[in-house]
């Protein structure tokens, strides 16, 4: 096949920029990346044939600026601009500017984006096209009394949505009339702040909701097809976490109804390119053909598009490029088929045990399972910066059946190792083992919230993790001739490590021939034999079961302390080998101090030394990535010291406020 363009520019960053570059290169198309100050060394810049600097680190100074991006395309001789998702991808003014510059926008027309850009207008349009929409009020009136009356008419619970919303922002579920006014005000504030538009609509909150969406594709010749559905019901705060295709429990009758509604929707706006029609589906019983309603259309390539690629064998980016150049759709509807089942899990730098706050930091170690498709925009050594979405990768698996694809996802997640920043990997691993989800029946968008405590629970540190941390932190070498005799002048080593601020006291005994014994733990001694160390990889045989254990330990030195991340089966545990001279200064008694929950800036302090405070009292606020988090007293007591000031940039874990020690009872 001929190539649609000679050169394209990708107006994005991260995994999606890398993803687009990959297909372009496979098609023989040259690529131009754009980058901000923060991304000069980023993977997408390294992969592209050329790269142009477009501005400062903040998205508003670079990836959201149409002018330097279009100028970069013109100077490098690119013929088309692929917008990825997010940033300028659904901005009709950008599409107009690209077209006026004589370039091709890889995506729908500005007109189609405008028609679907606001959720209220999109619902009206769909109603006219005969597509079922979620019942609610999506008119012009915005007075609180009027909307509250509409909510009563719709029937509680209702969902207030910012009409310009995206990424789950500007949405509030309201259970009872008494809460309506406050929820409205807060949705309006968030809509105004995030999208510059406070206008809302009010919808019936569908009980036991499943999020099922249809991938559509149109061309410039009036053709439109669908590429079946994706189920994105595993969500946290209205944001997708694990997606799959096809949807479990889907019936032929419902699929026919949903896909034909989706194609009708696409045709109603002469849609060209890749798009997604999102529906909410009644999941309170078996799926029914009359139990689905249009929510919104995303006029771009979707984050979770790989699951559709996996089950159809279509490269959606290749289709986007061909169609944008004017070619007809490569396949007709009857040529498209579902083969097997696929999952995608979104791996983020965020801390589930800390309210899922976004995390930043350097990826000291990053490795993926070779058994999965891993779409990523970062490598080992790269930083997760506070400026952009903290996604590390999407882990995608495909197999003949849902059970096999889910088992493959679990295995792939267990083989994914990230050190240096908190991630949701363990949470994803727990989710992939959830019974309701595995059964594929009766799960809905509330599953994560209902089970969140169990999903974020972290099993206690194992003796194996402690042993591996010690081996790595102490630089033990089983091949050294003296191993097992007198590595530290004694075969008996007193080990002091710190985990989550708690001291771990063990004895490490060299028993000869590459074997060690760890004693002093509550679960009894651990023996490892056949110890082999190859760079960060440590393998050994364990105890009576003679199981092969495998772990990666990554050591970085901060000040004089050595930080070890032990990675095993998708689980990461960070331990500290404190500088012996400091006498274990890194031990923190969390009942006596308030530490920074993440790296950020102190924006307020409402307490001072000498104050008596109640348990749970708000003592200040820290901000990171535009999110504010309260600093809260761990118990009642008297403040002895405040070791930070307003405006300070503090590291996650740093002690900020100390309380007087409690007198022993
Ligand atoms: P998807 O269904 O593809 O996950 P989302 O609505 O969650 O769609 O958005 C996809 C990505 O696009 C998000 O991860 C986010 O980075 C980005 N995004 C979505 N909406 C906006 C917006 N209004 N402004 C900036 N970025 C956005
Ligand atoms: P966004 O633009 O932020 O993606 P959506 O309208 O697509 O906003 O809604 C995001 C998520 O919120 C959906 O995936 C779904 O889980 C939930 N949701 C939206 N509308 C409803 C509804 N009427 N009833 C129940 N859940 C809903
Ligand atoms: Mg949506």
């Amino acid at each position: 096949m001929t190539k649609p363009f000679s050169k394209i520019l990708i107006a994005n960053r991260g995994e999606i920029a890398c993803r687009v570059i990959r297909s372009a290169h496979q098609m023989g198309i040259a690529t131009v990346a754009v980058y901000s100050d923060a991304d000069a060394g980023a993977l997408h810049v390294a992969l592209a044939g050329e790269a142009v600097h477009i501005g400062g680190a903040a998205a508003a100074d670079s990836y959201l600026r149409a002018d330097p991006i279009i100028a970069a395309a013109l100077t490098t001789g690119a013929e088309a601009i692929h917008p990825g998702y997010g940033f300028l991808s659904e901005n009709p003014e950008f599409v107009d500017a690209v077209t006026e510059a004589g370039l091709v926008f890889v995506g729908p027309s500005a007109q189609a984006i405008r028609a679907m850009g606001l959720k209220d207008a999109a619902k009206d349009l769909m109603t006219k096209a005969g597509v079922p929409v979620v019942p609610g009020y999506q008119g012009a009136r915005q007075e609180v009394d009027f909307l509250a009356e509409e909510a009563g008419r719709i029937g509680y619970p209702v969902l207030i949505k910012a009409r310009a919303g995206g990424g789950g922002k500007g949405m509030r579920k309201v259970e009872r009339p008494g809460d309506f006014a406050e929820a409205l005000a807060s949705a309006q504030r968030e809509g105004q702040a995030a999208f510059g538009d406070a206008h809302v609509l009010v919808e019936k909150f569908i009980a036991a909701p499943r999020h099922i969406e249809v991938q559509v594709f149109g061309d410039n010749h009036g053709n439109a097809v669908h590429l079946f559905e994706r189920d994105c019901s595993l969500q946290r705060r209205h944001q997708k976490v694990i997606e799959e295709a096809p949807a479990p429990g889907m019936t032929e009758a419902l699929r026919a109804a949903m896909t034909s509604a989706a194609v009708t929707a696409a045709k109603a706006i002469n849609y060209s390119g890749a798009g997604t029609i999102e529906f909410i589906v009644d999941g309170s019983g078996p799926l029914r053909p009359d139990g689905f309603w249009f929510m919104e259309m995303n006029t771009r390539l979707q984050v979770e598009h790989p699951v559709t690629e996996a089950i159809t064998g279509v490269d959606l980016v290749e289709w986007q490029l061909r169609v944008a150049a004017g070619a007809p759709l490569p396949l007709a509807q009857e040529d498209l088929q579902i083969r097997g089942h696929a999952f995608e899990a979104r791996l983020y730098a965020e801390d589930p045990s800390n309210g899922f706050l976004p995390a930043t930091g350097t990826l000291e170690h990053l490795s993926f399972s070779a058994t999965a498709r891993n779409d990523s925009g970062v490598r080992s050594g790269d930083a997760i910066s506070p400026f952009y979405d903290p996604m590390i990768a999407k882990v995608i698996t495909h197999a003949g059946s849902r059970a096999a694809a889910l088992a493959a996802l679990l295995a792939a997640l267990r083989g994914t190792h990230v050190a240096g920043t908190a991630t949701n990997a363990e949470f994803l691993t727990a989710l992939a083992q959830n019974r309701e989800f595995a059964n594929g029946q009766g799960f809905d968008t509330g599953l994560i919230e209902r089970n969140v405590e169990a999903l974020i629970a972290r099993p206690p540190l194992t003796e194996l993790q402690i042993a591996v941390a010690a081996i790595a932190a102490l630089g033990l070498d089983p091949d050294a001739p003296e191993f097992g005799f007198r590595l530290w002048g004694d075969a008996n080593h007193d080990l002091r490590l710190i985990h989550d601020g708690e001291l771990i006291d063990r004895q490490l005994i060299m028993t000869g021939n590459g074997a060690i014994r760890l004693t002093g733990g509550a679960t009894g001694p651990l023996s490892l034999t056949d110890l082999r160390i190859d760079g960060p990889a440590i393998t050994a045989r364990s105890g009576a079961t003679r199981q092969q254990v495998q772990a990666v330990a990554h050591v970085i030195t901060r000040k004089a302390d050595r930080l070890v991340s032990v990675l095993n089966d998708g689980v990461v545990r960070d331990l500290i080998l404190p500088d012996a001279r400091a006498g274990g200064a890194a031990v923190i008694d969390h009942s006596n101090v308030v530490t920074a929950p993440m790296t950020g800036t102190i924006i307020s302090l409402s307490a001072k030394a000498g104050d008596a405070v109640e348990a749970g009292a708000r003592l200040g606020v820290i901000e990171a990535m535009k999110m504010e988090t309260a600093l809260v007293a761990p118990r009642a007591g008297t403040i002895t010291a405040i070791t930070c000031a307003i405006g300070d940039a503090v590291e996650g874990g740093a002690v900020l406020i100390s309380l007087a020690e409690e007198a022993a009872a």
Side-chain angles (χ1 to χ4, degrees):
M1 265 201 265
T2 55
K3 57 182 174 184
F5 302 106
S6 307
K7 191 190 273 190
I8 62 166
L9 179 141
I10 298 96
N12 215 299
R13 64 177 305 283
E15 72 85 17
I16 193 62
C18 298
R19 159 76 193 90
V20 173
I21 291 170
R22 180 165 58 78
S23 282
H25 287 180
Q26 274 166 9
M27 298 168 74
I29 300 172
T31 55
V32 183
V34 292
Y35 64 95
S36 69
D37 287 346
D39 279 341
L43 182 60
H44 75 282
V45 172
L47 292 180
E50 292 165 75
V52 179
H53 175 251
I54 50 164
D61 298 331
S62 49
Y63 300 107
L64 286 171
R65 289 178 66 205
D67 291 350
I69 292 173
I70 292 170
L74 293 173
T75 16
T76 55
E79 302 146 60
I81 297 185
H82 193 300
Y85 55 71
F87 297 126
L88 294 167
S89 61
E90 294 178 274
N91 181 325
E93 283 83 51
F94 180 63
V95 180
D96 283 336
V98 170
T99 316
E100 275 157 31
L103 301 164
V104 176
F105 177 77
V106 182
S109 66
Q111 211 182 352
I113 296 177
R114 283 198 182 95
M116 288 296 180
L118 297 176
K119 292 182 203 289
D120 50 358
K123 284 178 75 175
D124 286 342
L125 187 75
M126 287 302 98
T127 305
K128 286 199 191 96
V131 174
V133 306
V134 185
Y137 175 77
Q138 59 257 8
R141 293 186 60 179
Q142 295 288 295
E143 315 91 81
V144 55
D145 293 345
F146 176 80
L147 290 176
E149 212 177 287
E150 285 297 315
R153 189 183 54 79
I154 295 162
Y156 284 85
V158 297
L159 195 61
I160 304 173
K161 285 186 184 179
R163 68 169 171 189
K169 289 199 200 79
M171 287 186 19
R172 293 290 180 277
K173 181 181 175 188
V174 195
E175 304 278 358
R176 36 187 174 267
D179 299 340
F180 187 85
E182 199 184 318
L184 174 67
S186 128
Q188 287 170 328
R189 267 198 310 274
E190 200 165 297
Q192 185 63 42
F195 316 105
D197 185 348
H199 199 108
V200 300
L201 47 153
V202 183
E203 278 184 358
K204 173 99 197 132
F205 185 86
I206 304 298
R210 291 263 299 268
H211 173 121
I212 303 180
E213 57 187 32
V214 176
Q215 174 73 54
V216 292
F217 224 107
D219 65 18
N220 299 336
H221 309 279
N223 305 307
V225 296
H226 69 83
L227 290 96
F228 311 102
E229 79 280 1
R230 295 183 285 257
D231 192 312
C232 312
S233 299
L234 285 193
Q235 302 188 348
R236 205 185 66 80
R237 298 219 177 134
H238 308 301
Q239 296 209 51
K240 300 158 187 170
V241 178
I242 292 183
E243 304 98 340
E244 62 180 304
M250 180 56 87
T251 63
E252 277 313 317
L254 178 60
R255 178 175 290 138
M258 287 183 78
T259 55
S260 101
V263 172
T264 301
K267 287 194 166 154
I269 53 168
N270 289 319
Y271 197 76
S272 170
T276 295
I277 317 283
E278 295 190 334
F279 296 101
I280 199 88
V281 175
D282 177 359
S284 61
L287 303 181
R288 325 179 306 271
D290 63 344
F292 75 97
W293 301 272
F294 171 87
M295 276 194 299
E296 64 161 350
M297 177 169 189
N298 292 326
T299 52
R300 55 170 160 88
L301 190 66
Q302 200 94 338
V303 175
E304 59 275 18
H305 75 276
V307 293
T308 298
E309 297 187 320
I311 61 158
T312 60
V314 168
D315 179 333
L316 289 170
V317 173
E318 180 187 335
W319 276 34
Q320 284 188 298
L321 294 171
R322 295 202 184 285
V323 161
L329 288 175
L331 292 176
Q333 191 66 62
E334 53 273 23
D335 300 327
L336 290 158
Q337 272 169 30
I338 299 178
R339 286 199 193 80
H341 203 101
F343 283 94
E344 171 186 281
R346 300 189 186 192
L347 180 67
Y348 280 101
E350 63 183 16
D351 190 355
S353 59
N354 196 3
F356 290 88
L357 284 179
T360 54
T362 300
L363 297 167
E364 301 293 343
H365 177 95
L366 176 64
S367 60
F368 295 112
S369 163
T371 58
R373 168 175 167 184
N374 305 289
D375 280 16
S376 177
V378 286
R379 305 148 291 192
S380 263
D382 284 351
I384 299 293
S385 83
F387 302 107
Y388 316 108
D389 185 299
M391 186 193 278
I392 297 172
K394 306 185 301 200
V395 176
I396 303 128
T397 59
H398 180 219
S401 68
R402 185 173 190 268
L406 187 56
L409 181 71
L410 183 58
L413 288 170
R414 284 184 166 147
T416 303
H417 286 147
V418 190
T421 165
T423 78
N424 65 344
E426 229 178 307
F427 167 75
L428 293 174
T429 307
L431 197 50
Q433 296 173 85
N434 176 276
R435 285 275 289 285
E436 270 177 282
F437 176 48
N439 290 340
Q441 287 165 356
F443 75 101
D444 58 57
T445 59
L447 182 141
I448 291 178
E449 207 180 299
R450 286 194 298 273
N451 296 286
V452 74
E453 287 307 321
L455 292 169
I456 66 175
R458 302 204 324 161
L461 199 63
T462 64
E463 294 302 294
L464 176 66
Q465 288 160 338
I466 297 170
V468 169
I471 291 164
L474 296 169
L476 194 63
D477 179 2
D479 296 328
E482 71 274 27
F483 177 81
F485 297 103
R486 46 168 200 285
L487 191 59
W488 304 283
D490 191 343
N492 230 346
H493 189 76
D494 282 325
L495 185 66
R496 306 191 86 203
L497 290 166
I498 293 158
H499 174 64
D500 276 352
E502 293 196 5
L503 185 66
I504 296 159
D505 256 319
R506 297 285 187 279
Q507 290 250 302
L508 189 63
I509 304 157
M510 311 285 119
T511 50
N513 295 327
I516 63 166
R517 221 167 124 77
L518 187 74
T519 63
T523 54
L526 169 81
S527 294
L528 292 181
T529 57
D530 227 346
L531 196 57
R532 274 166 230 271
I533 302 175
D534 182 11
I538 295 174
T539 49
R541 289 183 185 280
S542 162
T545 52
R546 310 290 297 169
Q547 264 177 344
Q548 181 78 7
V549 297
Q550 218 166 4
V552 179
H554 201 89
V555 184
I556 59 168
T557 303
R558 192 183 289 165
K559 302 204 180 94
D561 298 335
R562 308 201 79 203
L563 277 58
V564 194
S565 299
V566 178
L567 310 110
N568 192 27
D569 272 357
V571 170
V572 184
R573 291 291 177 266
D574 293 324
L575 295 97
I576 301 170
L577 178 69
D579 179 14
R581 288 161 302 178
V587 182
I588 293 170
D589 182 348
H590 281 276
S591 62
N592 288 329
V593 295
V594 179
T595 55
M598 72 262 196
T599 298
T601 308
I602 304 295
I603 59 169
S604 79
L605 283 171
S606 46
K608 55 182 189 315
D611 284 0
V613 296
E614 293 301 316
R618 283 169 67 106
L619 307 179
V621 176
I622 182 169
E623 188 220 65
M625 295 194 193
K626 302 197 172 87
M627 277 181 66
E628 296 182 4
T629 305
L631 302 169
V632 176
R635 61 169 168 81
T638 306
I639 295 178
T640 50
I642 300 207
T643 39
C644 61
I646 293 174
D648 278 3
V650 296
E651 249 185 60
V655 174
L656 305 176
I657 298 167
S658 309
L659 297 176
E661 297 252 349
E662 278 179 317

